[in-house]
Amino acid sequence: SAVISQKPSRDICQRGTSLTIQCQVDSQVTMMFWYRQQPGQSLTLIATANQGSEATYESGFVIDKFPISRPNLTFSTLTVSNMSPEDSSIYLCSVERDRGQFYNEQFFGPGTRLTVL
Amino acid sequence: TQLLEQSPQFLSIQEGENLTVYCNSSSVFSSLQWYRQEPGEGPVLLVTVVTGGEVKKLKRLTFQFGDARKDSSLHITAAQPGDTGLYLCAGVKSRGAQKLVFGQGTRLTINP
């Protein structure tokens, strides 16, 4: 499995500010994903990030609020912009390892716990 | 609408008991994965099931994929406090699809 690290591991921010979360993988991967996990909830996909192209956002998430960069095959960033308390969540990145044409498995980073005051 | 329905959403049992968690859908999935997440960590992949009717065992954990590939179950035998965590099922709807569809999760607590 891939080794994935995220920075920061947690942060407490003031409303109206922005936070950039970094995701680093120990091997080159094609697909990277960003998820949000609200307290006590399951995971919701924010966007899919391919290297060299714009991220693809899920319904309810927009680039102005969650801009994503994917400068190379081992790194991505997610920015949470103009934060409000409703953005308080755990943000997780994941990578996909292609096991062949039948199924793809995702491996997750440890998450960034964000609290917005 | 939730594509994958997990039940129960919360379960608290005593050490040594057995339990089963269910993951159901009206849709067919080409594969289904089970993850466990502990507080402060990301989900960790436990198993992937691909073939209808498939059964996989991981020590005291038994995973089954329904014959029609619409449902799955996780059975834990002789639960231990170390099994405590959030269990998530997630499915891939078709070959080549990249998005995982997650269930709501089952929060399991094993009391010593």
Side-chain angles (χ1 to χ4, degrees), chain B residues 45-65:
Chain B
L45 180 66
L46 297 174
V47 77
T48 300
V49 285
V50 180
T51 306
E54 183 177 8
V55 176
K56 283 191 174 179
K57 294 196 174 187
L58 186 65
K59 297 183 181 178
R60 293 176 294 100
L61 279 59
T62 301
F63 304 86
Q64 186 163 7
F65 202 12

PDB file of all heavy atoms in Angstrom, chain B residues 45-65:
ATOM      1  N   LEU B  45      -7.924   0.103   4.555  1.00  0.00           N
ATOM      2  CA  LEU B  45      -8.580  -0.931   3.766  1.00  0.00           C
ATOM      3  C   LEU B  45      -8.401  -2.297   4.428  1.00  0.00           C
ATOM      4  O   LEU B  45      -7.281  -2.712   4.759  1.00  0.00           O
ATOM      5  CB  LEU B  45      -7.979  -0.963   2.360  1.00  0.00           C
ATOM      6  CG  LEU B  45      -8.548  -2.002   1.399  1.00  0.00           C
ATOM      7  CD1 LEU B  45     -10.010  -1.699   1.078  1.00  0.00           C
ATOM      8  CD2 LEU B  45      -7.723  -2.050   0.106  1.00  0.00           C
ATOM      9  N   LEU B  46      -9.526  -3.001   4.612  1.00  0.00           N
ATOM     10  CA  LEU B  46      -9.488  -4.345   5.182  1.00  0.00           C
ATOM     11  C   LEU B  46      -9.528  -5.404   4.085  1.00  0.00           C
ATOM     12  O   LEU B  46      -8.749  -6.362   4.100  1.00  0.00           O
ATOM     13  CB  LEU B  46     -10.680  -4.558   6.127  1.00  0.00           C
ATOM     14  CG  LEU B  46     -10.735  -3.667   7.372  1.00  0.00           C
ATOM     15  CD1 LEU B  46     -12.043  -3.891   8.122  1.00  0.00           C
ATOM     16  CD2 LEU B  46      -9.546  -3.936   8.276  1.00  0.00           C
ATOM     17  N   VAL B  47     -10.450  -5.230   3.142  1.00  0.00           N
ATOM     18  CA  VAL B  47     -10.634  -6.267   2.129  1.00  0.00           C
ATOM     19  C   VAL B  47     -11.368  -5.691   0.940  1.00  0.00           C
ATOM     20  O   VAL B  47     -12.095  -4.690   1.061  1.00  0.00           O
ATOM     21  CB  VAL B  47     -11.446  -7.451   2.718  1.00  0.00           C
ATOM     22  CG1 VAL B  47     -12.930  -7.104   2.797  1.00  0.00           C
ATOM     23  CG2 VAL B  47     -11.229  -8.726   1.940  1.00  0.00           C
ATOM     24  N   THR B  48     -11.167  -6.304  -0.215  1.00  0.00           N
ATOM     25  CA  THR B  48     -11.950  -6.018  -1.418  1.00  0.00           C
ATOM     26  C   THR B  48     -12.586  -7.323  -1.874  1.00  0.00           C
ATOM     27  O   THR B  48     -11.906  -8.348  -1.968  1.00  0.00           O
ATOM     28  CB  THR B  48     -11.068  -5.457  -2.537  1.00  0.00           C
ATOM     29  OG1 THR B  48     -10.452  -4.251  -2.095  1.00  0.00           O
ATOM     30  CG2 THR B  48     -11.891  -5.171  -3.784  1.00  0.00           C
ATOM     31  N   VAL B  49     -13.893  -7.289  -2.132  1.00  0.00           N
ATOM     32  CA  VAL B  49     -14.572  -8.453  -2.705  1.00  0.00           C
ATOM     33  C   VAL B  49     -15.034  -8.099  -4.111  1.00  0.00           C
ATOM     34  O   VAL B  49     -15.479  -6.970  -4.358  1.00  0.00           O
ATOM     35  CB  VAL B  49     -15.753  -8.924  -1.834  1.00  0.00           C
ATOM     36  CG1 VAL B  49     -15.219  -9.648  -0.600  1.00  0.00           C
ATOM     37  CG2 VAL B  49     -16.655  -7.775  -1.424  1.00  0.00           C
ATOM     38  N   VAL B  50     -14.899  -9.058  -4.989  1.00  0.00           N
ATOM     39  CA  VAL B  50     -15.098  -8.780  -6.413  1.00  0.00           C
ATOM     40  C   VAL B  50     -16.140  -9.704  -7.043  1.00  0.00           C
ATOM     41  O   VAL B  50     -16.931  -9.278  -7.872  1.00  0.00           O
ATOM     42  CB  VAL B  50     -13.758  -8.923  -7.162  1.00  0.00           C
ATOM     43  CG1 VAL B  50     -13.945  -8.638  -8.646  1.00  0.00           C
ATOM     44  CG2 VAL B  50     -12.714  -8.006  -6.582  1.00  0.00           C
ATOM     45  N   THR B  51     -16.138 -10.966  -6.644  1.00  0.00           N
ATOM     46  CA  THR B  51     -16.978 -11.970  -7.288  1.00  0.00           C
ATOM     47  C   THR B  51     -18.243 -12.210  -6.473  1.00  0.00           C
ATOM     48  O   THR B  51     -18.178 -12.357  -5.248  1.00  0.00           O
ATOM     49  CB  THR B  51     -16.210 -13.290  -7.423  1.00  0.00           C
ATOM     50  OG1 THR B  51     -14.979 -13.040  -8.087  1.00  0.00           O
ATOM     51  CG2 THR B  51     -17.020 -14.309  -8.212  1.00  0.00           C
ATOM     52  N   GLY B  52     -19.402 -12.271  -7.137  1.00  0.00           N
ATOM     53  CA  GLY B  52     -20.649 -12.569  -6.449  1.00  0.00           C
ATOM     54  C   GLY B  52     -20.545 -13.867  -5.687  1.00  0.00           C
ATOM     55  O   GLY B  52     -20.070 -14.864  -6.223  1.00  0.00           O
ATOM     56  N   GLY B  53     -20.960 -13.864  -4.409  1.00  0.00           N
ATOM     57  CA  GLY B  53     -20.880 -15.050  -3.574  1.00  0.00           C
ATOM     58  C   GLY B  53     -19.540 -15.249  -2.889  1.00  0.00           C
ATOM     59  O   GLY B  53     -19.379 -16.175  -2.082  1.00  0.00           O
ATOM     60  N   GLU B  54     -18.616 -14.377  -3.173  1.00  0.00           N
ATOM     61  CA  GLU B  54     -17.264 -14.512  -2.622  1.00  0.00           C
ATOM     62  C   GLU B  54     -17.261 -14.351  -1.107  1.00  0.00           C
ATOM     63  O   GLU B  54     -17.966 -13.512  -0.566  1.00  0.00           O
ATOM     64  CB  GLU B  54     -16.352 -13.460  -3.255  1.00  0.00           C
ATOM     65  CG  GLU B  54     -14.897 -13.520  -2.822  1.00  0.00           C
ATOM     66  CD  GLU B  54     -14.044 -12.493  -3.557  1.00  0.00           C
ATOM     67  OE1 GLU B  54     -14.606 -11.645  -4.285  1.00  0.00           O
ATOM     68  OE2 GLU B  54     -12.817 -12.529  -3.392  1.00  0.00           O
ATOM     69  N   VAL B  55     -16.450 -15.175  -0.450  1.00  0.00           N
ATOM     70  CA  VAL B  55     -16.247 -15.072   0.995  1.00  0.00           C
ATOM     71  C   VAL B  55     -14.750 -14.937   1.242  1.00  0.00           C
ATOM     72  O   VAL B  55     -13.950 -15.721   0.720  1.00  0.00           O
ATOM     73  CB  VAL B  55     -16.790 -16.307   1.730  1.00  0.00           C
ATOM     74  CG1 VAL B  55     -16.480 -16.209   3.230  1.00  0.00           C
ATOM     75  CG2 VAL B  55     -18.290 -16.460   1.516  1.00  0.00           C
ATOM     76  N   LYS B  56     -14.387 -13.915   2.024  1.00  0.00           N
ATOM     77  CA  LYS B  56     -12.983 -13.741   2.392  1.00  0.00           C
ATOM     78  C   LYS B  56     -12.871 -13.675   3.908  1.00  0.00           C
ATOM     79  O   LYS B  56     -13.734 -13.076   4.563  1.00  0.00           O
ATOM     80  CB  LYS B  56     -12.410 -12.462   1.775  1.00  0.00           C
ATOM     81  CG  LYS B  56     -12.074 -12.596   0.301  1.00  0.00           C
ATOM     82  CD  LYS B  56     -11.272 -11.399  -0.175  1.00  0.00           C
ATOM     83  CE  LYS B  56     -10.803 -11.587  -1.609  1.00  0.00           C
ATOM     84  NZ  LYS B  56     -10.035 -10.424  -2.104  1.00  0.00           N
ATOM     85  N   LYS B  57     -11.810 -14.273   4.425  1.00  0.00           N
ATOM     86  CA  LYS B  57     -11.589 -14.262   5.872  1.00  0.00           C
ATOM     87  C   LYS B  57     -10.293 -13.551   6.196  1.00  0.00           C
ATOM     88  O   LYS B  57      -9.276 -13.729   5.537  1.00  0.00           O
ATOM     89  CB  LYS B  57     -11.573 -15.685   6.415  1.00  0.00           C
ATOM     90  CG  LYS B  57     -12.903 -16.397   6.306  1.00  0.00           C
ATOM     91  CD  LYS B  57     -12.961 -17.625   7.190  1.00  0.00           C
ATOM     92  CE  LYS B  57     -14.370 -18.214   7.169  1.00  0.00           C
ATOM     93  NZ  LYS B  57     -14.543 -19.308   8.126  1.00  0.00           N
ATOM     94  N   LEU B  58     -10.354 -12.746   7.252  1.00  0.00           N
ATOM     95  CA  LEU B  58      -9.197 -12.030   7.758  1.00  0.00           C
ATOM     96  C   LEU B  58      -9.206 -12.241   9.270  1.00  0.00           C
ATOM     97  O   LEU B  58      -9.848 -11.507  10.004  1.00  0.00           O
ATOM     98  CB  LEU B  58      -9.310 -10.539   7.405  1.00  0.00           C
ATOM     99  CG  LEU B  58      -8.139  -9.638   7.720  1.00  0.00           C
ATOM    100  CD1 LEU B  58      -6.931 -10.027   6.909  1.00  0.00           C
ATOM    101  CD2 LEU B  58      -8.522  -8.180   7.457  1.00  0.00           C
ATOM    102  N   LYS B  59      -8.519 -13.297   9.701  1.00  0.00           N
ATOM    103  CA  LYS B  59      -8.508 -13.682  11.115  1.00  0.00           C
ATOM    104  C   LYS B  59      -9.946 -13.898  11.598  1.00  0.00           C
ATOM    105  O   LYS B  59     -10.637 -14.796  11.130  1.00  0.00           O
ATOM    106  CB  LYS B  59      -7.758 -12.662  11.957  1.00  0.00           C
ATOM    107  CG  LYS B  59      -6.277 -12.557  11.580  1.00  0.00           C
ATOM    108  CD  LYS B  59      -5.541 -11.597  12.483  1.00  0.00           C
ATOM    109  CE  LYS B  59      -4.080 -11.516  12.058  1.00  0.00           C
ATOM    110  NZ  LYS B  59      -3.310 -10.531  12.891  1.00  0.00           N
ATOM    111  N   ARG B  60     -10.427 -13.096  12.522  1.00  0.00           N
ATOM    112  CA  ARG B  60     -11.785 -13.281  13.061  1.00  0.00           C
ATOM    113  C   ARG B  60     -12.846 -12.550  12.245  1.00  0.00           C
ATOM    114  O   ARG B  60     -14.027 -12.577  12.597  1.00  0.00           O
ATOM    115  CB  ARG B  60     -11.813 -12.769  14.503  1.00  0.00           C
ATOM    116  CG  ARG B  60     -10.971 -13.594  15.476  1.00  0.00           C
ATOM    117  CD  ARG B  60     -10.962 -12.962  16.872  1.00  0.00           C
ATOM    118  NE  ARG B  60     -10.274 -11.669  16.855  1.00  0.00           N
ATOM    119  CZ  ARG B  60     -10.889 -10.502  16.819  1.00  0.00           C
ATOM    120  NH1 ARG B  60     -12.205 -10.441  16.815  1.00  0.00           N
ATOM    121  NH2 ARG B  60     -10.192  -9.389  16.818  1.00  0.00           N
ATOM    122  N   LEU B  61     -12.462 -11.925  11.153  1.00  0.00           N
ATOM    123  CA  LEU B  61     -13.399 -11.174  10.323  1.00  0.00           C
ATOM    124  C   LEU B  61     -13.706 -11.980   9.063  1.00  0.00           C
ATOM    125  O   LEU B  61     -12.808 -12.482   8.395  1.00  0.00           O
ATOM    126  CB  LEU B  61     -12.803  -9.821   9.932  1.00  0.00           C
ATOM    127  CG  LEU B  61     -12.861  -8.667  10.919  1.00  0.00           C
ATOM    128  CD1 LEU B  61     -12.155  -8.974  12.230  1.00  0.00           C
ATOM    129  CD2 LEU B  61     -12.318  -7.394  10.298  1.00  0.00           C
ATOM    130  N   THR B  62     -15.002 -12.102   8.763  1.00  0.00           N
ATOM    131  CA  THR B  62     -15.440 -12.801   7.558  1.00  0.00           C
ATOM    132  C   THR B  62     -16.264 -11.831   6.717  1.00  0.00           C
ATOM    133  O   THR B  62     -17.227 -11.241   7.211  1.00  0.00           O
ATOM    134  CB  THR B  62     -16.287 -14.040   7.896  1.00  0.00           C
ATOM    135  OG1 THR B  62     -15.508 -14.925   8.700  1.00  0.00           O
ATOM    136  CG2 THR B  62     -16.713 -14.761   6.620  1.00  0.00           C
ATOM    137  N   PHE B  63     -15.887 -11.679   5.471  1.00  0.00           N
ATOM    138  CA  PHE B  63     -16.551 -10.765   4.548  1.00  0.00           C
ATOM    139  C   PHE B  63     -17.234 -11.587   3.454  1.00  0.00           C
ATOM    140  O   PHE B  63     -16.658 -12.531   2.933  1.00  0.00           O
ATOM    141  CB  PHE B  63     -15.536  -9.824   3.891  1.00  0.00           C
ATOM    142  CG  PHE B  63     -14.725  -9.040   4.874  1.00  0.00           C
ATOM    143  CD1 PHE B  63     -13.561  -9.584   5.414  1.00  0.00           C
ATOM    144  CD2 PHE B  63     -15.104  -7.764   5.258  1.00  0.00           C
ATOM    145  CE1 PHE B  63     -12.799  -8.873   6.314  1.00  0.00           C
ATOM    146  CE2 PHE B  63     -14.347  -7.040   6.153  1.00  0.00           C
ATOM    147  CZ  PHE B  63     -13.196  -7.588   6.688  1.00  0.00           C
ATOM    148  N   GLN B  64     -18.447 -11.189   3.122  1.00  0.00           N
ATOM    149  CA  GLN B  64     -19.169 -11.889   2.068  1.00  0.00           C
ATOM    150  C   GLN B  64     -19.749 -10.885   1.089  1.00  0.00           C
ATOM    151  O   GLN B  64     -20.264  -9.841   1.484  1.00  0.00           O
ATOM    152  CB  GLN B  64     -20.285 -12.735   2.670  1.00  0.00           C
ATOM    153  CG  GLN B  64     -20.990 -13.608   1.658  1.00  0.00           C
ATOM    154  CD  GLN B  64     -21.787 -14.725   2.308  1.00  0.00           C
ATOM    155  OE1 GLN B  64     -21.915 -14.778   3.522  1.00  0.00           O
ATOM    156  NE2 GLN B  64     -22.321 -15.615   1.505  1.00  0.00           N
ATOM    157  N   PHE B  65     -19.671 -11.208  -0.189  1.00  0.00           N
ATOM    158  CA  PHE B  65     -20.279 -10.407  -1.256  1.00  0.00           C
ATOM    159  C   PHE B  65     -21.503 -11.171  -1.746  1.00  0.00           C
ATOM    160  O   PHE B  65     -21.409 -12.371  -2.010  1.00  0.00           O
ATOM    161  CB  PHE B  65     -19.273 -10.228  -2.388  1.00  0.00           C
ATOM    162  CG  PHE B  65     -19.512  -9.049  -3.291  1.00  0.00           C
ATOM    163  CD1 PHE B  65     -20.426  -8.054  -2.978  1.00  0.00           C
ATOM    164  CD2 PHE B  65     -18.798  -8.914  -4.464  1.00  0.00           C
ATOM    165  CE1 PHE B  65     -20.625  -6.963  -3.793  1.00  0.00           C
ATOM    166  CE2 PHE B  65     -18.985  -7.823  -5.300  1.00  0.00           C
ATOM    167  CZ  PHE B  65     -19.897  -6.844  -4.971  1.00  0.00           C
TER     168      PHE B  65
END
